[in-house]
Amino acid sequence: MGGSWPSGGSPNHLFETLPHQPVPAEKSPTEMTPLTLSDAIVIVQKIPVDWRGRIAEQSVRQIGGKLWAELLQHRSIGLCHPLAQTARELLAIKAEISQLPGEAAAAAARSAGAPLVVQKIAKRLASDLGITTTIEQKLAATAHSVRILGVFVCEIAGVVPSCECLKDLVAERVSREEFEKKLWYLVEPSMSV
């Protein structure tokens, strides 16, 4: 049953002779270059007037008219910093939440008196389920919404250059085109769950 393999002498050679996957089309230099903070500031400062109305409309739909009115009343007291901090905390939680199912499974095995190997197996199995994906997406969507509100508040207060929420959006290292799209949605269409 020794079988003879093609000229490469091993089954691995079969993989080497398979056709290569097509190379993705090259992106233009502007698509590949991440947005700079100075570019983002200019974009926000030149944003069309209807952006405010669109964000206001989306906000009222998401959080209700009463909370929206409350936000507008407090916009001049420096809401950007707490909004930016809230978004950062949400993303920190998102980074940790994927570990919860595995930790819970290991704790259940430990509680049942299972040996360490069973605890490790339970942890690995639960970690690979991906059951926290929806929660992680919702946390990321909420962080995005909070940041857009921060940019909105800074834009109407005329303090865009010092906007922490804008700086954090730029730190995501997205293209100019993607950034401009993100600005128009309180809840990004790709994040809607």
Side-chain angles (χ1 to χ4, degrees):
M1 207 153 155
S4 63
W5 298 102
S7 62
S10 77
N12 290 336
H13 178 69
L14 294 175
F15 294 109
E16 295 165 8
T17 60
L18 292 175
H20 291 286
Q21 295 295 321
V23 176
E26 287 191 33
K27 295 184 177 188
S28 72
T30 56
E31 289 177 5
M32 293 186 301
T33 307
L35 182 73
T36 65
L37 179 59
S38 57
D39 288 340
I41 291 168
V42 169
I43 290 168
V44 173
Q45 289 175 331
K46 291 183 177 182
I47 204 157
V49 177
D50 62 335
W51 175 77
R52 285 185 186 184
R54 184 147 177 202
I55 295 302
E57 199 175 277
Q58 293 173 49
S59 297
V60 168
R61 230 182 0 255
Q62 289 293 112
I63 65 173
K66 189 174 180 178
L67 269 178
W68 178 248
E70 199 173 323
L71 172 80
L72 293 177
Q73 285 177 340
H74 292 92
R75 71 178 184 258
S76 63
I77 60 167
L79 286 181
C80 182
H81 179 73
L83 287 167
Q85 284 299 110
T86 300
R88 291 175 194 139
E89 287 296 320
L90 286 165
L91 295 175
I93 291 167
K94 175 188 170 273
E96 294 175 14
I97 204 159
S98 64
Q99 299 171 20
L100 290 178
E103 295 299 326
R110 199 170 26 262
S111 186
L116 186 58
V117 67
V118 173
Q119 294 173 36
K120 288 179 181 179
I121 290 169
K123 182 176 182 175
R124 174 72 54 91
L125 289 172
S127 295
D128 291 341
L129 291 176
I131 58 177
T132 62
T133 302
T134 300
I135 296 168
E136 292 172 40
Q137 289 170 338
K138 288 182 185 273
L139 289 169
T142 303
H144 172 79
S145 298
V146 167
R147 285 177 172 166
I148 294 299
L149 286 175
V151 173
F152 180 92
V153 167
C154 288
E155 196 272 335
I156 59 177
V159 293
V160 171
S162 63
C163 181
E164 289 181 52
C165 292
L166 182 63
K167 291 174 184 173
D168 288 347
L169 284 169
V170 171
E172 292 177 5
R173 302 189 53 81
V174 297
S175 69
R176 179 185 185 105
E177 182 180 297
E178 189 177 347
F179 174 78
E180 288 175 355
K181 285 180 190 174
K182 285 177 171 234
L183 275 180
W184 285 88
Y185 295 99
L186 189 65
V187 178
E188 289 183 273
S190 63
M191 290 184 174
S192 298
V193 190

